[in-house]
Amino acid sequence: MLNFVIFGGPGSGKGTQSDKLISRYGLHHISTGEVLRGHIARGTELGITADSYISKGQLIPDELMIRVLASVLESEPEKVKNGVIFDGFPRTIEQAKALEELLAKYNSTVHAVIGLEVPDEELVERMINRGKLTGRADDNIDTIRQRLSVYHNQTSPLRDFYQAEGKYHAIDGSGDVDQISERIHKSLSDKLPGLAEK
Ligand code: AP5
Ligand code: MG
């Protein structure tokens, strides 16, 4: 089965488009942001540590984050057998290398990276709106600015990393949600003819 990384700035639509990919291809979804927010809500030790980074818009350190992802995969190995959308991981080159090592244990790899490209002003607007609607704690203007800066400095170099591997699919992430989903489908099915819809 095929594994995908959905990649893009904060608020670029990774979660929204993951839902579309799940219903279209029947993949499993692992969002590291959701895993961490679950720990914060349950008040676990990891949640307390994660909150201290997330509330400042900083990344959780690689070594800890890689352990968290490894334990998610170990607890549900059948996910990798059926294909996973990794949402929010990797966010650094070190995490990308670790993901390859983890997937190699399951004789698998990252088959494609879906890069949602959206201008910063639009990202800010989306997150401000969501903050008002849902109260998500890191959707305030100061933390949003920090998340964007971290994205440009630490995460966006992954674009070149995956482009060099021929895996990066640049997708215009602005506009109608269903149209973006169609752009993703077209880009993936051109490159991966074996990709089966549900
Ligand atoms: P994470 O939860 O991954 O947050 P993020 O990357 O900031 O992205 P979001 O979840 O905010 O946005 P999204 O791209 O999923 O977009 P969505 O579909 O929700 O990470 C949070 C934090 O956890 C990080 O800052 C970090 O501290 C930590 N963390 C997580 N993973 C880590 C890792 N690997 N290493 C280290 N630290 C890590 O859409 C956003 C909004 O826009 C929604 O309201 C949606 O309805 C709307 N929307 C979506 N599409 C459209 C559209 N086409 N038009 C208009 N509105 C739209
Ligand atoms: Mg998300």
Side-chain angles (χ1 to χ4, degrees), residues 9-16 18 29 31-34 37 87-88 91 130 136 147:
S12 57
K14 298 185 292 297
T16 304
S18 290
H29 181 218
S31 155
T32 45
E34 281 174 18
R37 282 188 289 278
D87 164 354
R91 277 173 135 96
R130 184 178 54 190
R136 185 168 140 174
R147 286 158 71 195

Side-chain angles (χ1 to χ4, degrees), residues 13-43:
K14 298 185 292 297
T16 304
Q17 293 300 329
S18 290
D19 289 343
K20 297 277 174 193
L21 289 161
I22 292 159
S23 46
R24 191 152 202 169
Y25 307 118
L27 299 160
H28 294 285
H29 181 218
I30 299 177
S31 155
T32 45
E34 281 174 18
V35 169
L36 297 170
R37 282 188 289 278
H39 277 274
I40 293 172
R42 297 194 299 281

Side-chain angles (χ1 to χ4, degrees), residues 3-194:
N3 296 308
F4 299 102
V5 168
I6 192 151
F7 176 83
S12 57
K14 298 185 292 297
T16 304
Q17 293 300 329
S18 290
D19 289 343
K20 297 277 174 193
L21 289 161
I22 292 159
S23 46
R24 191 152 202 169
Y25 307 118
L27 299 160
H28 294 285
H29 181 218
I30 299 177
S31 155
T32 45
E34 281 174 18
V35 169
L36 297 170
R37 282 188 289 278
H39 277 274
I40 293 172
R42 297 194 299 281
T44 67
E45 200 181 319
L46 169 61
I48 293 164
T49 305
D51 193 30
S52 68
Y53 291 96
I54 292 178
S55 60
K56 295 192 199 85
Q58 301 286 351
L59 297 184
I60 278 68
D62 283 337
E63 197 246 346
L64 174 58
M65 201 61 234
I66 290 164
R67 270 192 283 131
V68 171
L69 184 75
S71 79
V72 171
L73 291 178
E74 272 161 31
S75 67
E76 292 170 291
E78 72 285 356
K79 282 193 174 179
V80 184
K81 281 199 204 109
N82 296 322
V84 175
I85 307 168
F86 293 93
D87 164 354
F89 192 104
R91 277 173 135 96
T92 61
I93 304 280
E94 192 169 335
Q95 290 184 15
K97 290 179 178 162
L99 182 58
E100 276 312 313
E101 284 171 26
L102 286 169
L103 290 175
K105 289 187 194 164
Y106 301 90
N107 295 317
S108 199
T109 188
V110 169
H111 295 90
V113 176
I114 301 155
L116 296 173
E117 305 195 343
V118 181
D120 279 8
E121 316 81 73
E122 197 175 331
L123 297 178
V124 172
E125 197 183 315
R126 288 185 190 179
M127 287 183 279
I128 292 286
N129 285 340
R130 184 178 54 190
K132 285 184 194 148
L133 287 172
T134 69
R136 185 168 140 174
D138 55 352
D139 282 343
N140 63 78
I141 191 64
D142 292 340
T143 312
I144 289 170
R145 293 259 170 244
Q146 186 57 34
R147 286 158 71 195
L148 279 170
S149 153
V150 165
Y151 171 73
H152 289 298
N153 292 322
Q154 294 177 252
T155 303
S156 66
L158 281 172
R159 193 180 191 276
D160 289 347
F161 178 90
Y162 282 120
Q163 240 161 6
E165 294 193 350
K167 293 180 175 174
Y168 189 81
H169 295 246
I171 304 290
D172 173 1
S174 294
D176 179 73
V177 169
D178 287 324
Q179 279 175 358
I180 298 165
S181 168
E182 279 307 310
R183 285 175 204 145
I184 295 173
H185 176 66
K186 183 165 186 332
S187 184
L188 291 179
S189 46
D190 282 352
K191 185 83 187 293
L192 301 166

